[in-house]
Amino acid sequence: MSWLSPPEWQAVVLSLKVAGLATACALPPGIGVAYLLARGRFVGHGVLNGIVHLPLILPPVVTGYLLLLGFAPNGPLGAALAQIGIALAFNWKGAALAAGVMAFPLMVRAIRLAIEAVDPRLEAAASTLGASRAWVFVSVTLPLIVPGIIAGAITAFAKAMGEFGATITFVSNIPGQTQTLPLAIYSQLQVPGGEGSAAKLVVISITLALGALLVSEALAKRVAARIAGRDA
């Protein structure tokens, strides 16, 4: 990475940190929401599904603006968090929130498809043996959906790495603080002679995205093979 300048390297590191935090924080609720959507039958199921997928169809700038309204220092959530010393607007942690919100639907969709692929009769059989619903999920469903969880997490990580619109709207484009890879590329394209730096960052972005997808495929196949071998 010696061919990257310190500001460019800083943007790469910050992007990895933002995407990692976004994925880690989104994964537990992602699994829970995916299970509700896949197995739940309740009033408001369609509403929940719509809310979860809303970031996919809204302009990212709108999502970022809504986050800014809610988490700005004078916003309802931002003011409450400020009381305990947490600031998200114009902060790298806010960039992680924006990236996590934008990546959440992709994660939920991958995990939901994995849950729906599990034969409900397996879960029913465990229930008839006296297992609670929570234990059925932990002992039966969860091991079978590990490939989907891995795929969802890494896809969300790749999406978070490339998030632009919601991030720049919510936390702005502050070098060294909130300037992730996409924002750094945008900034370089706005200045004369910045095309070379932008090209290097584009190569880094493509490499990281492809690497994440390849790792996702490899891990999912390995886990699926182990599960198939154990079931056999």
PDB file of all heavy atoms in Angstrom, residues 190-207:
ATOM      1  N   GLN A 190     -13.360  15.966  -8.077  1.00  0.00           N
ATOM      2  CA  GLN A 190     -13.782  17.363  -8.098  1.00  0.00           C
ATOM      3  C   GLN A 190     -12.621  18.335  -8.222  1.00  0.00           C
ATOM      4  O   GLN A 190     -12.840  19.541  -8.362  1.00  0.00           O
ATOM      5  CB  GLN A 190     -14.577  17.687  -6.818  1.00  0.00           C
ATOM      6  CG  GLN A 190     -15.770  16.786  -6.553  1.00  0.00           C
ATOM      7  CD  GLN A 190     -16.711  16.686  -7.733  1.00  0.00           C
ATOM      8  OE1 GLN A 190     -17.206  17.695  -8.225  1.00  0.00           O
ATOM      9  NE2 GLN A 190     -16.960  15.463  -8.193  1.00  0.00           N
ATOM     10  N   VAL A 191     -11.386  17.839  -8.141  1.00  0.00           N
ATOM     11  CA  VAL A 191     -10.219  18.732  -8.191  1.00  0.00           C
ATOM     12  C   VAL A 191      -9.401  18.428  -9.440  1.00  0.00           C
ATOM     13  O   VAL A 191      -9.312  17.270  -9.870  1.00  0.00           O
ATOM     14  CB  VAL A 191      -9.352  18.582  -6.930  1.00  0.00           C
ATOM     15  CG1 VAL A 191     -10.143  18.952  -5.690  1.00  0.00           C
ATOM     16  CG2 VAL A 191      -8.826  17.159  -6.785  1.00  0.00           C
ATOM     17  N   PRO A 192      -8.801  19.438 -10.054  1.00  0.00           N
ATOM     18  CA  PRO A 192      -7.967  19.199 -11.236  1.00  0.00           C
ATOM     19  C   PRO A 192      -6.783  18.290 -10.906  1.00  0.00           C
ATOM     20  O   PRO A 192      -6.118  18.462  -9.875  1.00  0.00           O
ATOM     21  CB  PRO A 192      -7.490  20.611 -11.609  1.00  0.00           C
ATOM     22  CG  PRO A 192      -8.479  21.535 -10.989  1.00  0.00           C
ATOM     23  CD  PRO A 192      -8.931  20.864  -9.733  1.00  0.00           C
ATOM     24  N   GLY A 193      -6.564  17.304 -11.753  1.00  0.00           N
ATOM     25  CA  GLY A 193      -5.449  16.397 -11.544  1.00  0.00           C
ATOM     26  C   GLY A 193      -5.700  15.305 -10.531  1.00  0.00           C
ATOM     27  O   GLY A 193      -4.779  14.550 -10.179  1.00  0.00           O
ATOM     28  N   GLY A 194      -6.932  15.183 -10.063  1.00  0.00           N
ATOM     29  CA  GLY A 194      -7.221  14.162  -9.059  1.00  0.00           C
ATOM     30  C   GLY A 194      -7.613  12.819  -9.639  1.00  0.00           C
ATOM     31  O   GLY A 194      -7.892  11.881  -8.881  1.00  0.00           O
ATOM     32  N   GLU A 195      -7.610  12.717 -10.961  1.00  0.00           N
ATOM     33  CA  GLU A 195      -8.061  11.469 -11.597  1.00  0.00           C
ATOM     34  C   GLU A 195      -7.163  10.284 -11.238  1.00  0.00           C
ATOM     35  O   GLU A 195      -7.643   9.161 -11.082  1.00  0.00           O
ATOM     36  CB  GLU A 195      -8.110  11.630 -13.119  1.00  0.00           C
ATOM     37  CG  GLU A 195      -9.150  12.604 -13.628  1.00  0.00           C
ATOM     38  CD  GLU A 195      -8.666  14.040 -13.585  1.00  0.00           C
ATOM     39  OE1 GLU A 195      -7.507  14.263 -13.145  1.00  0.00           O
ATOM     40  OE2 GLU A 195      -9.434  14.938 -13.986  1.00  0.00           O
ATOM     41  N   GLY A 196      -5.871  10.529 -11.127  1.00  0.00           N
ATOM     42  CA  GLY A 196      -4.951   9.434 -10.793  1.00  0.00           C
ATOM     43  C   GLY A 196      -5.228   8.856  -9.420  1.00  0.00           C
ATOM     44  O   GLY A 196      -5.276   7.636  -9.237  1.00  0.00           O
ATOM     45  N   SER A 197      -5.420   9.732  -8.446  1.00  0.00           N
ATOM     46  CA  SER A 197      -5.745   9.276  -7.091  1.00  0.00           C
ATOM     47  C   SER A 197      -7.089   8.563  -7.071  1.00  0.00           C
ATOM     48  O   SER A 197      -7.238   7.514  -6.419  1.00  0.00           O
ATOM     49  CB  SER A 197      -5.770  10.468  -6.131  1.00  0.00           C
ATOM     50  OG  SER A 197      -6.161  10.067  -4.839  1.00  0.00           O
ATOM     51  N   ALA A 198      -8.071   9.108  -7.797  1.00  0.00           N
ATOM     52  CA  ALA A 198      -9.387   8.477  -7.857  1.00  0.00           C
ATOM     53  C   ALA A 198      -9.292   7.087  -8.469  1.00  0.00           C
ATOM     54  O   ALA A 198      -9.938   6.143  -7.998  1.00  0.00           O
ATOM     55  CB  ALA A 198     -10.351   9.349  -8.660  1.00  0.00           C
ATOM     56  N   ALA A 199      -8.470   6.952  -9.511  1.00  0.00           N
ATOM     57  CA  ALA A 199      -8.320   5.647 -10.169  1.00  0.00           C
ATOM     58  C   ALA A 199      -7.744   4.612  -9.205  1.00  0.00           C
ATOM     59  O   ALA A 199      -8.184   3.456  -9.183  1.00  0.00           O
ATOM     60  CB  ALA A 199      -7.437   5.784 -11.404  1.00  0.00           C
ATOM     61  N   LYS A 200      -6.769   5.005  -8.400  1.00  0.00           N
ATOM     62  CA  LYS A 200      -6.192   4.074  -7.425  1.00  0.00           C
ATOM     63  C   LYS A 200      -7.243   3.624  -6.416  1.00  0.00           C
ATOM     64  O   LYS A 200      -7.333   2.438  -6.075  1.00  0.00           O
ATOM     65  CB  LYS A 200      -5.016   4.737  -6.702  1.00  0.00           C
ATOM     66  CG  LYS A 200      -3.778   4.927  -7.556  1.00  0.00           C
ATOM     67  CD  LYS A 200      -2.595   5.368  -6.728  1.00  0.00           C
ATOM     68  CE  LYS A 200      -2.756   6.765  -6.194  1.00  0.00           C
ATOM     69  NZ  LYS A 200      -1.548   7.228  -5.470  1.00  0.00           N
ATOM     70  N   LEU A 201      -8.045   4.562  -5.960  1.00  0.00           N
ATOM     71  CA  LEU A 201      -9.075   4.220  -4.982  1.00  0.00           C
ATOM     72  C   LEU A 201     -10.170   3.365  -5.605  1.00  0.00           C
ATOM     73  O   LEU A 201     -10.745   2.493  -4.928  1.00  0.00           O
ATOM     74  CB  LEU A 201      -9.672   5.502  -4.394  1.00  0.00           C
ATOM     75  CG  LEU A 201      -8.707   6.355  -3.565  1.00  0.00           C
ATOM     76  CD1 LEU A 201      -9.376   7.648  -3.130  1.00  0.00           C
ATOM     77  CD2 LEU A 201      -8.208   5.586  -2.344  1.00  0.00           C
ATOM     78  N   VAL A 202     -10.455   3.583  -6.879  1.00  0.00           N
ATOM     79  CA  VAL A 202     -11.432   2.741  -7.576  1.00  0.00           C
ATOM     80  C   VAL A 202     -10.933   1.304  -7.640  1.00  0.00           C
ATOM     81  O   VAL A 202     -11.694   0.349  -7.413  1.00  0.00           O
ATOM     82  CB  VAL A 202     -11.704   3.289  -8.996  1.00  0.00           C
ATOM     83  CG1 VAL A 202     -12.438   2.243  -9.842  1.00  0.00           C
ATOM     84  CG2 VAL A 202     -12.523   4.564  -8.923  1.00  0.00           C
ATOM     85  N   VAL A 203      -9.640   1.124  -7.946  1.00  0.00           N
ATOM     86  CA  VAL A 203      -9.055  -0.220  -7.989  1.00  0.00           C
ATOM     87  C   VAL A 203      -9.171  -0.889  -6.623  1.00  0.00           C
ATOM     88  O   VAL A 203      -9.529  -2.072  -6.513  1.00  0.00           O
ATOM     89  CB  VAL A 203      -7.585  -0.156  -8.444  1.00  0.00           C
ATOM     90  CG1 VAL A 203      -6.903  -1.513  -8.271  1.00  0.00           C
ATOM     91  CG2 VAL A 203      -7.491   0.284  -9.901  1.00  0.00           C
ATOM     92  N   ILE A 204      -8.879  -0.132  -5.563  1.00  0.00           N
ATOM     93  CA  ILE A 204      -8.991  -0.676  -4.203  1.00  0.00           C
ATOM     94  C   ILE A 204     -10.439  -1.080  -3.921  1.00  0.00           C
ATOM     95  O   ILE A 204     -10.712  -2.161  -3.373  1.00  0.00           O
ATOM     96  CB  ILE A 204      -8.531   0.358  -3.164  1.00  0.00           C
ATOM     97  CG1 ILE A 204      -7.035   0.647  -3.321  1.00  0.00           C
ATOM     98  CG2 ILE A 204      -8.823  -0.143  -1.751  1.00  0.00           C
ATOM     99  CD1 ILE A 204      -6.136  -0.500  -2.962  1.00  0.00           C
ATOM    100  N   SER A 205     -11.385  -0.238  -4.307  1.00  0.00           N
ATOM    101  CA  SER A 205     -12.802  -0.525  -4.060  1.00  0.00           C
ATOM    102  C   SER A 205     -13.247  -1.790  -4.779  1.00  0.00           C
ATOM    103  O   SER A 205     -13.925  -2.652  -4.197  1.00  0.00           O
ATOM    104  CB  SER A 205     -13.670   0.652  -4.517  1.00  0.00           C
ATOM    105  OG  SER A 205     -13.402   1.801  -3.773  1.00  0.00           O
ATOM    106  N   ILE A 206     -12.877  -1.905  -6.053  1.00  0.00           N
ATOM    107  CA  ILE A 206     -13.260  -3.084  -6.829  1.00  0.00           C
ATOM    108  C   ILE A 206     -12.625  -4.341  -6.239  1.00  0.00           C
ATOM    109  O   ILE A 206     -13.282  -5.385  -6.109  1.00  0.00           O
ATOM    110  CB  ILE A 206     -12.842  -2.915  -8.302  1.00  0.00           C
ATOM    111  CG1 ILE A 206     -13.649  -1.783  -8.948  1.00  0.00           C
ATOM    112  CG2 ILE A 206     -13.042  -4.211  -9.074  1.00  0.00           C
ATOM    113  CD1 ILE A 206     -13.205  -1.423 -10.343  1.00  0.00           C
ATOM    114  N   THR A 207     -11.366  -4.247  -5.850  1.00  0.00           N
ATOM    115  CA  THR A 207     -10.671  -5.404  -5.278  1.00  0.00           C
ATOM    116  C   THR A 207     -11.323  -5.870  -3.989  1.00  0.00           C
ATOM    117  O   THR A 207     -11.539  -7.068  -3.777  1.00  0.00           O
ATOM    118  CB  THR A 207      -9.196  -5.050  -5.015  1.00  0.00           C
ATOM    119  OG1 THR A 207      -8.576  -4.649  -6.244  1.00  0.00           O
ATOM    120  CG2 THR A 207      -8.442  -6.249  -4.442  1.00  0.00           C
TER     121      THR A 207
END
